[in-house]
Amino acid sequence: MSVLESIYVDLSVVLGSAQVPIRQILKMGRGAMIPLDCGHDDPTLVYVNDELVARGKVMVDGDQMSLEVIEIVQRSRS
């Protein structure tokens, strides 16, 4: 197992996305909100090394956040 402990992967948890003009970003201040292209019940996407691997649901318990995996995405065979 010690060999695996030294391998790093890039993990991204994506709640949603938005296209925002740079001029709008430059005008933003503290507390500004950016609307995302997803709804409250839409799954959160989990990417490993830029490949979608799972869908999940964000869970909040006090000041702790976690992700409940609800679906493992099958890899397409190329």
Side-chain angles (χ1 to χ4, degrees):
M1 274 304 216
S2 63
V3 173
L4 295 178
E5 292 175 1
S6 64
I7 298 174
Y8 289 89
V9 295
D10 182 28
L11 175 72
S12 300
V13 178
V14 180
L15 299 172
S17 63
Q19 290 187 344
V20 182
I22 190 73
R23 68 180 176 278
Q24 184 178 345
I25 292 172
L26 293 172
K27 291 179 183 178
M28 287 182 181
R30 185 180 178 122
M33 297 182 72
I34 301 171
L36 301 175
D37 64 352
C38 60
H40 179 267
D41 293 327
D42 290 342
T44 300
L45 305 177
V46 180
Y47 289 88
V48 173
N49 294 336
D50 295 323
E51 183 174 336
L52 180 64
V53 297
R55 291 182 178 86
K57 179 179 178 182
V58 173
M59 310 294 286
V60 179
D61 183 18
D63 61 350
Q64 297 289 313
M65 290 180 66
S66 60
L67 182 78
E68 176 185 0
V69 175
I70 57 176
E71 176 188 0
I72 301 295
V73 175
Q74 299 297 319
R75 292 182 68 179
S76 61
R77 297 182 189 256
S78 305

